Amino acid sequence: MKHILLLEDDADTRVWFSELLIRAFGEVKIVPTQSLQEAEAAVDRHPFCLAMVDIYLPDGRGIDFIAKAKPLNPGMFCVVVTAFDDSADIFAALEAGADGYLLKSQDKDRLVRSLKEIMEGAPPLSPSIARRVIKHFGANGSSTEIHKPALLTQREAEVLTLIAQGMTRNETAQVLGIRPGTVAGYIKRVYEKLNISSRAQAALEAKRMGLI
Amino acid sequence: MQANKAGIDDQHLWLPGMAPLRGLALTAFVSLSLMVAAAHVSLEQPCLGIDWAVAQEGIGLIVKGSMPTHSIPPGSRMVRINAPDGRSLVLHNDLLMEDPDQHATYAAYNDFFRRQKLLMEFYSQGKVILVGEDGSKWPITVQRRRELDQLPASFWLFNVSAAACCLIGCGVWCYRRGEIMGRLMAVTGAGYFLSIVCLSVYGTRELAINALLFRFLSAANHLLMITWCYSLLLMFALYPKRMAGPKTLALTYLVVLVIWLNQTLQWYEAPIHAFYSFNHLLPYATSIVFGYLQWRATARRPVDRAALRWFILSIWISIGVAGSLFIMPSMTENFSAVPFWMPAMSILLMFVCFAFGILRYGLFNLERWWFTGWVWLASGLVITVVDALLVIILDVSFRTLLPYSILLLGWLYFPLRQWLWQRLAKPGTYRLEHHLPHLIQSLSEMGAVPAFVEGWSELLRKVFQPLTIHLEAGTGRDLKIEQHGLEMHIPGFDHRNCLRLVGNRQGTRLFNRQDRELAGVLLDLSHAVFDINNRTREVQQAGAAKERERIMRDLHDDVLPKLISIKQRSPNTTITHLAEAAFQSIRETIYILRYPADRLLEEALADWRAELVERLNSARLKLNWQVPKTLDGHHLTSRQFINCGRILREAVSNILRHADADKVWIRFAIDAGRLHMSISDNGQGIAPNAPKGLGIRNMQLRARALDGGITWGSSDNSDQGMRKGLTIQCSFPLG
């Protein structure tokens, strides 16, 4: 049976989220945790296929859990669950290695659909996060030393630009003359590159500080 | 500093513990005592009970009035006075001379005293006989002493006006003890008063007084006259530039003593006038020389020169008037009957001018506050002087005077004096202590640096009433007076700008040392308040940010999850909708708290599009989204972003709920600084008089918050062959 880690400090949210997960995946074993400490202990005990992570927790940020657990469990999908679309928080989660994000306030149907999409490799991307990504990789394609290992391709940049203008995935696909699934693939690659670039940056900083 | 300037140590003051006001009160008390003593001596003199007037011809005195028992008709002219023992004396009109030194020669002066002595010998026999010009004889019994109402009003006028001079002179000294100018003022004022006390005894006699007393008082009067006249001269030599040292001072007073001894012992008779030549004319002429030298010495110091001008004019005009009224006619050997109170008033005017010089020009380094010290004394005296003047001018008795006096004072004098005082002293009415609380408050209320600088200028404007204030770029850190007192430079708060004040008190005065000190105090105070303000604001801002963060955290961590849980778990759609609405409100609140900065309109439109197209597409509606090609970098404030987004969402929600449409047009346009947006659908529309739902009212509120308008109308889709739907049009000013 699949194991799903639920890291959420609010009891009510845990309850309805568990219901949601069961609705989305059917027979799953949900391991509810309330703090980073508990979650880290749980990750050591079981292999998880999915971790639903709240950002603000009593003993720290869920983002830190992702940054720590994701490299050790590459097969574990990490999805950040946040109250609303605060792009600063979400962007930080993506940099830490999150595979997607969900907004708690969305309708349940929408949540189930988004979750499934993430698991299928088609994560969401809002215009504001797209703008942040573009900014992160540098305007008009120019890039600094740090981002070299994860430069955006021309197509990726085009996709991001259209999404930043408020286009949906389908509309973007239409404009670029490609399939929606391909757009989703680009988005997923952007996610990965974001994570790689931020890890490269961390490594570079560690090197500068003499840690490596 | 003052004491050092005068070269005298504060430690060696006479009565070092005496407060200025106490000194003033003491002076007033001594003056009053001397006046009473003078009155007592005057009343102890014998008299005939006749009010005499001078005849135009040399011989004879005219009876202006007499006691009823004498039954002499007024206007009778008496030419001789006979004693019971047969001796006789011609009544020459110089017997009524107020001061015998009006005689230009020692011989005439001595002859006057010979006749005085003779008259007293006649009086001592108890009876005299007056002989009229027609030969009529009037036996008169000599009164042993005079009654109080027989003392002429001029007696009081002399003493009171001179006491006022004494108070002014000693008043300066009380506040500037240890300084040579203060001392000279005291000597001048007191000397003048004492000389007048002597004069008042013999000058107001009926015909004769005790000859020995007369001689003594006349000599004393001379000594005191010479002393104060030469002290006044010394002031010329010392103010504003010190042109004489202590040796010159000592020498001057030695000269005073020599002059006095000379005329008392009658060694050498001066040309022109035995007494006035040395007593008055020589110092007056010398003062012209010193005045000229001082004038030249202050050529480059306008502050000093302005003060000097006032000082010189006060003395020259007053003494000049006194001289031309009295000294000049008497020197021509033509005895004239100019009453002495006229020159006395002129001298009083001089001292009053000194007082106003202090008020306006800071004479003797005193300032306007000096006035408050003795104004209560002086005003009392001035009223008395006015009473005395009324006695003489109206020639009425004290008993009838009182009602007139009160009426005159109440209706004329007090309003006049008040007006005069306002006119003269108005620029000096700024009292720091009165304004201090308001000042600190207004400084505290000022916000950022520009507002603070503005308030600071306003404060300086209020305090100094300058003609103009310029804010100038300058690195000057010093408070300084430039252009010889025309301008004062005050450093700014950021050491980049300084303020230039031009023309103190609307240009009526120059900036002086006191002004600089006051500005310094104000500057220090403002700096302190400025620093406190800044620190307070920093703390407040840090506190506010912290509190904002805390509120945001509480909303985010506590309220939001609960609302979301309600929304997600409740089977009741009404509750779900309410929870959703509450959630949106809180989301917006957190959004504003977290991102208070403006955002690009372009980005806001992209966010809305993504959100709305997703919602509409899920409900299988098509969105036609039109935005201008260029948005010219327009921005929305965070509140505009929230409110405008709310209208859009609400409109789309309404379409999804009620319209039964399959197409939505959302168009944006920018025109004349306004953002226009229209949301149309091809649904069933609404009836013109349909009741307004909560959503519509909500949109109206949001539009009002945007300072804009919103209207509902039918969409005109006829050209597209579709149903008429609803169009919402909203516009609001950007920026």
Side-chain angles (χ1 to χ4, degrees):
Chain A
M1 201 166 36
K2 284 179 181 174
H3 280 71
I4 295 176
L5 177 73
L6 181 55
L7 175 48
E8 167 65 62
D9 62 326
D10 184 74
D12 288 332
T13 310
R14 277 202 304 276
V15 171
W16 70 260
F17 226 95
S18 300
E19 290 167 10
L20 187 95
L21 288 169
I22 287 162
R23 208 177 119 190
F25 301 111
E27 283 292 298
V28 284
K29 168 93 177 112
I30 295 163
V31 179
T33 53
Q34 298 182 40
S35 65
L36 290 180
Q37 216 182 341
E38 261 183 70
E40 279 162 18
V43 168
D44 288 345
R45 280 198 300 275
H46 308 277
F48 287 101
C49 68
L50 177 62
M52 306 295 294
V53 180
D54 189 21
I55 293 183
Y56 297 99
L57 294 159
D59 57 345
R61 295 198 314 162
I63 292 164
D64 299 331
F65 168 76
I66 295 172
K68 219 173 190 179
K70 181 74 181 174
L72 301 172
N73 306 272
M76 179 173 71
F77 270 87
C78 290
V79 176
V80 167
V81 188
T82 170
F84 63 90
D85 51 340
D86 190 325
S87 61
D89 286 344
I90 294 166
F91 187 79
L94 299 186
E95 277 195 311
D99 297 285
Y101 63 89
L102 290 179
L103 305 181
K104 289 180 199 173
S105 55
Q106 284 173 325
D107 292 338
K108 278 183 188 166
D109 295 343
R110 181 79 180 83
L111 279 169
V112 170
R113 209 165 66 231
S114 294
L115 195 53
K116 280 181 174 163
E117 280 176 0
I118 292 167
M119 300 297 277
E120 287 159 10
L125 188 64
S126 77
S128 59
I129 293 164
R131 283 196 297 271
R132 276 178 188 266
V133 176
I134 293 169
K135 220 172 175 182
H136 177 80
F137 286 104
N140 33 303
S142 72
S143 179
T144 58
E145 187 72 19
I146 304 157
H147 304 132
K148 266 210 176 125
L151 275 179
L152 293 180
T153 64
Q154 179 75 25
R155 254 297 138 80
E156 285 161 0
E158 282 170 3
V159 168
L160 280 175
T161 307
L162 289 172
I163 287 175
Q165 285 168 5
M167 299 268 185
T168 61
R169 223 177 297 171
N170 288 344
E171 286 168 331
T172 306
Q174 228 174 329
V175 170
L176 295 176
I178 51 176
R179 287 186 306 113
T182 316
V183 173
Y186 284 129
I187 294 171
K188 179 135 176 72
R189 280 239 291 285
V190 168
Y191 268 51
E192 282 162 4
K193 286 187 176 178
L194 200 58
N195 180 230
I196 293 165
S197 89
S198 71
R199 272 190 284 168
Q201 189 173 355
L204 209 69
E205 264 165 34
K207 199 173 173 183
R208 200 182 301 141
M209 290 163 74
L211 293 174
I212 299 174
Chain B
M1 197 174 123
Q2 293 301 312
N4 291 344
K5 211 164 111 187
I8 292 160
D9 195 345
D10 276 333
Q11 303 302 311
H12 295 102
L13 287 178
W14 177 66
L15 287 178
M18 188 174 72
L21 213 58
R22 202 181 286 179
L24 211 54
L26 188 70
T27 309
F29 174 74
V30 171
S31 305
L32 204 67
S33 308
L34 283 168
M35 272 160 67
V36 170
H40 177 76
V41 172
S42 294
L43 295 177
E44 287 303 310
Q45 300 307 317
C47 72
L48 304 176
I50 296 173
D51 192 5
W52 295 106
V54 180
Q56 286 306 307
E57 301 83 10
I59 308 293
L61 297 175
I62 292 167
V63 178
K64 218 162 77 180
S66 61
M67 281 166 62
T69 50
H70 297 336
S71 62
I72 308 173
S76 309
R77 186 171 163 195
M78 303 296 171
V79 291
R80 294 187 76 83
I81 183 165
N82 295 336
D85 61 0
R87 282 188 287 174
S88 174
L89 181 70
V90 175
L91 288 173
H92 196 272
N93 66 4
D94 76 342
L95 276 176
L96 287 181
M97 236 183 208
E98 281 169 289
D99 197 331
D101 67 11
Q102 283 175 283
H103 284 296
T105 59
Y106 291 146
Y109 178 78
N110 293 340
D111 183 58
F112 177 88
F113 276 102
R114 184 188 60 76
R115 285 177 285 140
Q116 276 286 317
K117 203 177 165 207
L118 207 59
L119 272 175
M120 284 308 283
E121 283 171 17
F122 291 2
Y123 281 9
S124 65
Q125 294 165 39
K127 241 188 177 113
V128 289
I129 298 141
L130 291 172
V131 182
E133 58 182 339
D134 53 355
S136 57
K137 291 193 174 163
W138 307 89
I140 308 273
T141 311
V142 177
Q143 275 176 245
R144 284 277 149 227
R145 51 195 308 279
R146 297 169 91 180
E147 296 301 322
L148 192 61
D149 61 353
Q150 284 176 325
L151 215 54
S154 57
F155 174 87
W156 302 108
L157 196 54
F158 284 142
N159 280 305
V160 171
S161 69
C165 297
C166 181
L167 278 172
I168 293 173
C170 290
V172 172
W173 171 71
C174 285
Y175 287 96
R176 284 285 175 263
R177 293 205 297 147
E179 270 185 59
I180 189 67
M181 286 304 280
R183 290 178 177 180
L184 287 176
M185 271 300 280
V187 172
T188 308
Y192 173 68
F193 171 64
L194 293 173
S195 71
I196 291 298
V197 168
C198 297
L199 176 78
S200 72
V201 174
Y202 61 77
T204 62
R205 73 195 183 281
E206 189 194 51
L207 265 186
I209 61 167
N210 183 309
L212 194 65
L213 178 71
F214 201 160
R215 274 267 186 185
F216 169 76
L217 288 175
S218 179
N221 169 267
H222 287 157
L223 179 62
L224 292 160
M225 275 281 174
I226 308 165
T227 305
W228 77 258
C229 283
Y230 278 81
S231 297
L232 203 57
L233 176 65
L234 277 173
M235 285 203 268
F236 262 98
L238 295 171
Y239 187 84
K241 190 174 189 287
R242 287 174 69 87
M243 293 179 168
K247 275 185 190 164
T248 318
L249 251 73
L251 192 70
T252 306
Y253 284 111
L254 193 68
V255 168
V256 165
L257 199 65
V258 169
I259 292 171
W260 177 70
L261 282 173
N262 176 58
Q263 66 193 30
T264 307
L265 302 174
Q266 304 186 354
W267 292 328
Y268 165 74
E269 190 172 287
I272 308 173
H273 197 291
F275 301 98
Y276 295 166
S277 295
F278 288 141
N279 295 11
H280 304 298
L281 292 177
L282 181 64
Y284 192 70
T286 319
S287 81
I288 292 171
V289 177
F290 277 126
Y292 173 70
L293 292 175
Q294 288 287 7
W295 188 256
R296 277 186 44 181
T298 55
R300 299 189 169 278
R301 290 180 296 162
V303 184
D304 286 344
R305 180 168 272 199
L308 177 71
R309 182 165 45 217
W310 185 265
F311 183 62
I312 287 181
L313 290 180
S314 303
I315 295 177
W316 283 353
I317 292 177
S318 306
I319 301 282
V321 166
S324 52
L325 272 176
F326 161 68
I327 299 172
M328 298 304 271
S330 71
M331 283 196 311
T332 59
E333 291 249 14
N334 237 342
F335 169 62
S336 79
V338 174
F340 257 36
W341 61 265
M342 285 186 184
M345 282 298 122
S346 189
I347 301 294
L348 175 64
L349 182 70
M350 178 177 80
F351 279 91
V352 170
C353 283
F354 285 167
F356 280 109
I358 289 162
L359 182 72
R360 289 189 78 93
Y361 299 102
L363 280 185
F364 319 122
N365 289 318
L366 282 169
E367 258 293 3
R368 48 195 172 275
W369 47 260
W370 177 76
F371 260 76
T372 56
W374 64 268
V375 78
W376 58 276
L377 269 177
S379 53
L381 284 173
V382 167
I383 290 164
T384 321
V385 170
V386 168
D387 285 353
L389 267 172
L390 290 174
V391 172
I392 290 163
I393 294 165
L394 302 177
D395 199 18
V396 288
S397 77
F398 273 111
R399 267 183 285 282
T400 50
L401 177 69
L402 197 63
Y404 288 112
S405 175
I406 289 167
L407 279 176
L408 256 155
L409 286 179
W411 293 102
L412 284 174
Y413 177 64
F414 281 128
L416 199 71
R417 188 180 61 169
Q418 197 61 25
W419 174 80
L420 197 69
W421 178 253
Q422 292 275 319
R423 287 293 299 242
L424 289 166
K426 196 184 170 194
T429 50
Y430 188 86
R431 297 278 298 272
L432 187 61
E433 63 270 30
H434 290 174
H435 293 259
L436 212 52
H438 174 70
L439 187 153
I440 292 172
Q441 195 191 349
S442 64
L443 282 176
S444 305
E445 280 167 2
M446 292 167 197
V449 176
F452 195 86
V453 169
E454 202 172 294
W456 167 235
S457 315
E458 193 49 47
L459 180 72
L460 291 173
R461 205 183 306 265
K462 230 183 263 174
V463 175
F464 295 107
Q465 298 161 22
L467 291 170
T468 52
I469 290 186
H470 301 282
L471 183 67
E472 289 187 340
T475 51
R477 292 190 176 201
D478 294 331
L479 195 72
K480 57 192 174 202
I481 291 171
E482 297 206 330
Q483 300 281 322
H484 311 296
L486 191 66
E487 297 181 354
M488 181 155 65
H489 292 240
I490 299 173
F493 290 92
D494 44 6
H495 296 298
R496 278 202 304 273
N497 300 311
C498 74
L499 291 170
R500 185 160 62 90
L501 275 63
V502 181
N504 194 8
R505 306 250 179 273
Q506 292 296 301
T508 58
R509 287 210 242 168
L510 297 166
F511 289 105
N512 59 22
R513 197 165 43 79
Q514 276 93 355
D515 291 320
R516 199 179 58 203
E517 278 167 13
L518 178 62
V521 169
L522 290 175
L523 189 64
D524 288 348
L525 188 70
S526 304
H527 265 298
V529 175
F530 186 68
D531 288 348
I532 291 168
N533 271 7
N534 275 356
R535 238 168 286 156
T536 312
R537 204 173 310 121
E538 276 165 25
V539 169
Q540 274 174 348
Q541 278 172 355
K546 212 171 162 187
E547 192 62 10
R548 205 160 44 218
E549 176 73 18
R550 197 187 62 74
I551 291 168
M552 203 183 76
R553 275 274 77 82
D554 284 352
L555 289 174
H556 190 279
D557 296 355
D558 269 2
V559 184
L560 272 192
K562 288 195 175 71
L563 274 175
I564 292 168
S565 295
I566 292 169
K567 183 194 159 187
Q568 303 289 14
R569 296 182 68 190
S570 172
N572 183 331
T573 48
T574 316
I575 291 177
T576 310
H577 281 145
L578 280 174
E580 169 70 20
F583 166 79
Q584 287 297 346
S585 295
I586 290 174
R587 174 179 175 272
E588 285 164 7
T589 308
I590 294 174
Y591 208 89
I592 290 173
L593 288 172
R594 190 145 189 202
Y595 303 105
D598 292 359
R599 69 203 59 242
L600 279 168
L601 179 58
E602 191 184 347
E603 295 182 3
L605 290 174
D607 289 352
W608 291 330
R609 186 187 194 281
E611 185 189 326
L612 298 175
V613 81
E614 148 117 39
R615 278 178 74 193
L616 289 166
N617 287 357
S618 331
R620 306 195 186 289
L621 272 78
K622 283 191 117 179
L623 173 67
N624 185 317
W625 180 268
Q626 293 172 21
V627 292
K629 283 208 171 63
T630 53
L631 291 161
D632 296 333
H634 277 293
H635 281 78
L636 290 179
T637 64
S638 56
R639 289 202 177 271
Q640 283 174 328
F641 175 68
I642 293 300
N643 285 322
C644 190
R646 234 337 157 67
I647 291 170
L648 278 169
R649 272 184 217 112
E650 197 76 52
V652 167
S653 296
N654 283 347
I655 291 167
L656 290 175
R657 261 181 237 155
H658 313 295
D660 186 24
D662 61 1
K663 269 192 175 148
V664 176
W665 291 263
I666 301 180
R667 302 185 191 90
F668 290 91
I670 297 169
D671 179 39
R674 288 177 79 89
L675 181 67
H676 298 266
M677 77 186 170
S678 79
I679 304 131
S680 315
D681 65 74
N682 60 349
Q684 57 193 5
I686 46 163
N689 296 320
K692 284 179 186 173
L694 190 69
I696 289 177
R697 224 170 296 146
N698 205 353
M699 281 192 271
Q700 280 175 326
L701 278 175
R702 299 275 171 175
R704 209 174 299 154
L706 284 166
D707 221 0
I710 190 162
T711 55
W712 282 263
S714 289
S715 310
D716 188 9
N717 294 320
S718 49
D719 57 327
Q720 288 161 35
M722 276 184 271
R723 282 195 293 178
K724 286 187 177 184
L726 181 72
T727 294
I728 299 170
Q729 287 192 308
C730 171
S731 79
F732 60 90
L734 286 166

